[in-house]
Amino acid sequence: MGLLKKTIACLGVLAAAGAGETAYFYRRTMKRSNAKVERTIKMSGTDWSQYSDMLEKRKAFMLAQPHKDVNQVSFDNLRLHATYFPSIEEDAGKKKVAICFHGYTSQGMSDYIGLSDYYLKRGFAMLLPDARAHGMSEGDYVGFGCLDRKDALVWINWIISELGEDVEIVLHGTSMGGATVLMTSGLDLPVQVKGIISDCGFTSPKEVFTHVLNTMYHLPAFPAIPGADFLNKRLAGYGMDECNAKREVAKAKIPILFIHGSKDSFVPSRMCNEMYECCASPKKLLIVEGAAHAESYYKDTEKYEQAMTEFFDDVL
């Protein structure tokens, strides 16, 4: 009986430790108040200081252009915020809009400073949403693409109502935004959506956090991931592998350009290759050699922009 009591006591300690690990992991990653951009930048391993001069110049150009705040309501009654930049260059009378989705812990006006130079000077308008639980959008729990893809439909419909039925829309996402646009690809999209660009997107929150725990913290996925999945279903309303980009692109009808850096340690490039192989729609792939997480555009701007231009020549 003494051995049984000791065994039960040990199991109780382990269960408590597991519950504590799960709660700690969940609070740090899924809750708006604890998901910090500084921690994400550190984990991603990208040295952004080397691009500071370029970013400062492009930020000044971007902010000098006319723009306005836009607010919409999500399917679950959250106020969603975005910033809209009208096109500054005409392109043979075409109405083209890039809806750009940012990464985890970032916001709409941060991740597309560099690419604003490409889009705005080539006849595109830009819509830069703040994801739920980010920036000026409401929400307590991060959507990790699973909920954000439904919010993407809100912004697509707003663009169509704002600019008319003849508008052409491209979706561009980075990191969590890349996962968002790939998860959106499996939905029944309006005909105005012509193409999707995913830069360093992940397959699902479950798979990317399993990778982070294993490689960066040298911890097993159990019990943190199953525990967080259980909590998230109850608190945020979705499971961490409920929407997986590999499954969604297998239903895609919209052309997709996949981009990833070969040296991405945060979201491994194998995820990009897996999603590319699963994609059912017309597709292109660009792996930028030597680029870390979300660094591809800055590591090889010429190759990145060339891939975008060739893609748009096909789909618009």
Side-chain angles (χ1 to χ4, degrees):
M1 183 62 71
L3 180 59
L4 179 59
K5 286 183 178 179
K6 288 180 180 179
T7 302
I8 292 173
C10 288
L11 290 174
V13 170
L14 290 173
E21 180 184 333
T22 295
Y24 178 73
F25 170 79
Y26 189 81
R27 285 196 305 269
R28 280 171 61 93
T29 57
M30 310 301 286
K31 286 276 289 180
R32 176 192 192 118
S33 56
N34 296 311
K36 305 298 184 183
V37 65
E38 297 82 8
R39 188 165 67 241
T40 305
I41 291 174
K42 183 178 180 180
M43 290 170 65
S44 72
T46 306
D47 177 14
W48 291 108
S49 63
Q50 60 188 310
Y51 306 115
S52 58
D53 290 343
M54 171 192 179
L55 288 169
E56 283 299 319
K57 291 177 183 177
R58 294 200 174 183
K59 183 177 181 180
F61 165 78
M62 181 183 185
L63 293 178
Q65 309 312 312
H67 56 279
K68 66 178 181 179
D69 293 319
V70 182
N71 293 293
Q72 292 289 289
V73 178
S74 71
F75 71 95
D76 52 352
N77 208 35
L78 296 177
R79 183 181 62 82
L80 301 175
H81 170 267
T83 307
Y84 177 67
F85 287 79
S87 61
I88 60 174
E89 299 285 348
E90 293 297 325
D91 185 8
K94 289 185 177 180
K95 290 186 286 186
K96 305 183 299 185
V97 181
I99 307 179
C100 302
F101 298 88
H102 65 77
Y104 177 55
T105 69
S106 188
Q107 55 187 327
M109 289 290 285
S110 294
D111 284 10
Y112 289 88
I113 292 170
L115 275 160
S116 66
D117 189 79
Y118 177 95
Y119 278 124
L120 293 176
K121 291 180 178 178
R122 286 170 174 79
F124 285 85
M126 296 181 75
L127 183 69
L128 307 175
D130 290 338
R132 58 175 53 222
H134 290 75
M136 295 172 64
S137 289
E138 293 180 342
D140 294 325
Y141 300 98
V142 180
F144 282 110
C146 300
L147 298 181
D148 304 303
R149 66 178 186 150
K150 298 180 182 179
D151 300 335
L153 289 177
V154 172
W155 294 119
I156 291 168
N157 289 326
W158 180 82
I159 287 292
I160 295 170
S161 67
E162 183 79 0
L163 296 184
E165 297 288 329
D166 57 340
V167 68
E168 295 182 311
I169 298 171
V170 295
L171 309 179
H172 195 145
T174 302
S175 192
M176 186 180 78
T180 296
V181 296
L182 293 179
M183 293 177 184
T184 304
S185 73
L187 300 175
D188 185 16
L189 296 173
V191 296
Q192 287 82 3
V193 181
K194 303 299 183 182
I196 291 172
I197 300 176
S198 172
D199 184 343
C200 63
F202 52 76
T203 50
S204 75
K206 176 184 177 182
E207 291 185 7
V208 75
F209 282 124
T210 296
H211 166 76
V212 168
L213 284 174
N214 290 343
T215 61
M216 296 186 180
Y217 293 96
H218 308 292
L219 293 171
F222 183 86
I225 299 299
D229 183 58
F230 175 80
L231 286 174
N232 211 51
K233 287 176 181 176
R234 288 178 172 269
L235 298 175
Y238 71 96
M240 295 181 71
D241 197 52
E242 182 176 305
C243 188
N244 188 303
K246 284 187 291 188
R247 296 194 295 268
E248 296 307 307
V249 298
K251 300 180 285 185
K253 298 176 182 177
I254 305 298
I256 300 176
L257 170 60
F258 295 84
I259 301 175
H260 218 101
S262 68
K263 295 296 185 182
D264 192 335
S265 58
F266 194 35
V267 178
S269 59
R270 63 169 172 78
M271 287 191 180
C272 180
N273 293 325
E274 291 169 6
M275 294 182 292
Y276 178 80
E277 291 300 322
C278 290
C279 183
S281 63
K283 57 192 177 182
K284 293 187 175 184
L285 175 66
L286 172 64
I287 301 296
V288 178
E289 291 300 321
H293 187 65
E295 189 188 21
S296 292
Y297 179 73
Y298 304 92
K299 192 73 173 179
D300 197 334
T301 303
E302 182 179 357
K303 185 175 289 186
Y304 197 111
E305 292 188 347
Q306 180 183 351
M308 290 174 65
T309 299
E310 292 174 355
F311 182 68
F312 294 146
D313 285 344
D314 290 341
V315 304
L316 297 180

